[in-house]
Amino acid sequence: MVPQGSAPHLIAAAISSKLGRPVPLHEIGLADTDPAPEVGLAFPRKVAHAVESATELYRLDSSPGKGIWQSLAGSFAVSAYATPVSRWLIRPADATVTREAERPPASGREVPPREGGWGRVGHSDVSKLQEAAEEARRWDSKYGGGDWRSSMVPECLRTDAAPLLLGSYSDEVGRSLFRATAELTRLAGWMAFDTGQQEAAQRYYIQALRLAKAAADVPLGGYVLASMSLQATYRGFAEEGVDLAQAALERNRSLATARTMSFFHLVEARALAKANDAPGCGSALSAAEGWLERSRPGDGDPSWLSFYAYDRLAADAAECYSDLKLPGQVRRFTERALQEPTEEFVRSHGLRLVVAAVAELESGNLDAAVAVGARAVEVAARISSARTTDYVRDLLHRLAPYGNEPLVKELQEQARPLLAAPA
């Protein structure tokens, strides 16, 4: 009996994890099953094939959590990052991306240029994608990756970016097009990650890295690797998270701005803390702080790094020390992280509150932990973020031994609707 549905792909993912490398379906004799779940995992060497790979992913059901993504739940394999990362490290930029698309035959159906993918792409087309990416970043930070405004990003990739990638463009315009599309694709991955759709996030990240290579934008490629690192670390693959962050750092030496290098070191610190490497984490945090102090307003930082300042460094440092079981350090850094305004970065504020509550609990301050936890639940209820909900769930799990305390019972009741909401 031949396994059907998502079973072949889950089998391949399990074997991939054991072997430490991607295992295609044909290698285990299941090549005749539905090929769709393998879409987005390729990292082609040629630009034309990279365009095909990305647009094929965009054409899937544009709502992570539905359609094909639902059948892929649980198929995340960190080993799938091995080939994309090694190919990017070897050659992080394509020589040229000039493209002349073939027009459809004159006798065929009249196809609008954008639908057929043969129109001439200009800077104004690229600007629209850049504006979409900027707006999506704001919505994601404020309302979470599951908010309906954020979930429009996959649709934008399918209806706007894909036809442009299939069009005609010069090398200059093409580089800008690939850069804008890479940013949007990484955002789609980040939003999928935030909503718990790890399999969708992984595919978007791989394609974003390939598009960044076509854009010849090494810092952007490093940013995608940093996103991969955070995902791997969150999923329990701390060692791989360290490798991904260090790959971003290594390729960007003498290329990225000081602020960018600071962020990459911070991501490295997160992975090292999860791997229980306290000395390594301390060195990475020190490097992150040093690079941030070195940064200046006129450095030309990329727009996608606009969220990063000392409060973010403090927040992530607090999470590092939380993983290392040092509540005193956690409290020190969360105090600094929570000083900043929260209007733009609501999700981050919620995550910081949970980390602060855990630190209070580990310091023996139950009343303070519950009070801060109540504020965290209030914030989490206002956004759509599975990751934030997971943080709240972890806090309640830590509070379980104190379940008979009236304040803890009250917090559990307050969080019940949040935890009962569908993912």
Side-chain angles (χ1 to χ4, degrees):
M1 181 177 180
V2 179
Q4 298 298 316
S6 62
H9 311 284
L10 298 176
I11 293 169
I15 296 174
S16 296
S17 287
K18 287 292 184 183
L19 295 181
R21 64 175 177 83
V23 175
L25 290 179
H26 69 77
E27 192 173 332
I28 57 174
L30 297 173
D32 292 335
T33 55
D34 180 12
E38 293 189 358
V39 171
L41 294 177
F43 194 89
R45 286 189 172 88
K46 295 183 178 180
V47 177
H49 295 162
V51 168
E52 292 173 6
S53 181
T55 54
E56 187 179 21
L57 175 64
Y58 303 157
R59 281 196 294 269
L60 288 182
D61 186 337
S62 61
S63 302
K66 301 178 182 177
I68 191 63
W69 301 122
Q70 198 167 34
S71 71
L72 280 172
S75 65
F76 170 85
V78 73
S79 57
Y81 285 145
T83 296
V85 173
S86 62
R87 289 186 179 176
W88 182 82
L89 284 171
I90 293 167
R91 185 172 295 174
D94 291 299
T96 181
V97 296
T98 301
R99 179 186 172 96
E100 290 297 331
E102 294 183 9
R103 296 176 66 92
S107 57
R109 177 176 68 90
E110 286 297 319
V111 182
R114 286 292 172 261
E115 182 184 342
W118 50 266
R120 173 62 59 177
V121 181
H123 286 294
S124 61
D125 298 306
V126 176
S127 294
K128 292 177 183 177
L129 293 184
Q130 292 169 335
E131 290 169 7
E134 186 62 36
E135 183 178 5
R137 276 194 292 270
R138 288 196 299 271
W139 285 121
D140 171 64
S141 295
K142 194 169 184 179
Y143 298 108
D147 181 73
W148 67 270
R149 286 154 291 211
S150 300
S151 65
M152 291 173 68
V153 173
E155 181 67 14
C156 177
L157 287 169
R158 185 179 70 83
T159 60
D160 298 325
L164 294 175
L165 289 175
L166 294 168
S168 300
Y169 34 82
S170 65
D171 186 69
E172 180 196 3
V173 171
R175 300 285 189 193
S176 297
L177 172 61
F178 282 112
R179 181 179 300 109
T181 309
E183 287 188 41
L184 273 170
T185 306
R186 192 213 66 86
L187 270 166
W190 180 257
M191 292 168 182
F193 165 60
D194 189 51
T195 54
Q197 302 297 319
Q198 307 300 333
E199 49 291 326
Q202 182 167 55
R203 286 156 172 76
Y204 280 121
Y205 285 158
I206 290 172
Q207 297 313 303
L209 185 63
R210 184 60 189 88
L211 294 168
K213 176 181 176 179
D217 192 329
V218 180
L220 178 57
Y223 187 41
V224 178
L225 286 177
S227 300
M228 291 177 171
S229 174
L230 289 169
Q231 182 192 32
T233 301
Y234 181 80
R235 293 284 293 172
F237 299 98
E239 296 293 344
E240 289 82 353
V242 173
D243 293 339
L244 289 161
Q246 290 180 348
L249 282 163
E250 201 57 42
R251 259 299 176 185
N252 274 282
R253 297 190 193 282
S254 77
L255 289 175
T257 64
R259 187 177 298 271
T260 305
M261 291 296 286
S262 172
F263 180 71
F264 293 165
H265 275 293
L266 185 61
V267 173
E268 178 192 25
R270 290 289 301 272
L272 287 165
K274 212 65 162 175
N276 202 32
D277 182 351
C281 175
S283 296
L285 285 175
S286 178
E289 189 166 14
W291 278 106
L292 191 56
E293 288 174 352
R294 217 175 303 174
S295 67
R296 297 292 181 269
D299 285 349
D301 293 318
S303 59
W304 41 258
L305 200 62
S306 60
F307 67 91
Y308 184 57
Y310 189 82
D311 66 305
R312 173 59 188 267
L313 188 152
D316 280 43
E319 293 220 40
C320 288
Y321 287 119
S322 179
D323 289 332
L324 294 172
K325 311 298 182 188
L326 297 171
Q329 290 284 65
V330 177
R331 294 176 71 189
R332 182 165 73 89
F333 279 101
T334 50
E335 285 175 8
R336 175 65 181 85
L338 291 170
Q339 289 176 4
E340 298 300 317
T342 61
E343 290 80 8
E344 286 186 65
F345 305 106
V346 178
R347 179 182 54 212
S348 292
H349 187 66
L351 295 173
R352 294 169 191 183
L353 285 170
V354 176
V355 174
V358 171
E360 293 291 355
L361 182 62
E362 291 183 346
S363 298
N365 304 321
L366 180 61
D367 289 356
V370 172
V372 178
R375 291 164 58 198
V377 171
E378 182 184 343
V379 173
R382 289 160 44 199
I383 61 176
S384 181
S385 168
R387 191 159 47 103
T388 307
T389 303
D390 283 345
Y391 273 53
V392 171
R393 187 177 286 110
D394 176 67
L395 171 62
L396 293 176
H397 177 72
R398 293 169 185 263
L399 286 167
Y402 310 94
N404 292 326
E405 296 288 337
L407 285 175
V408 175
K409 286 183 178 179
E410 187 177 335
L411 179 61
Q412 290 170 337
E413 284 301 314
Q414 179 187 352
R416 194 180 301 278
L418 173 69
L419 302 182

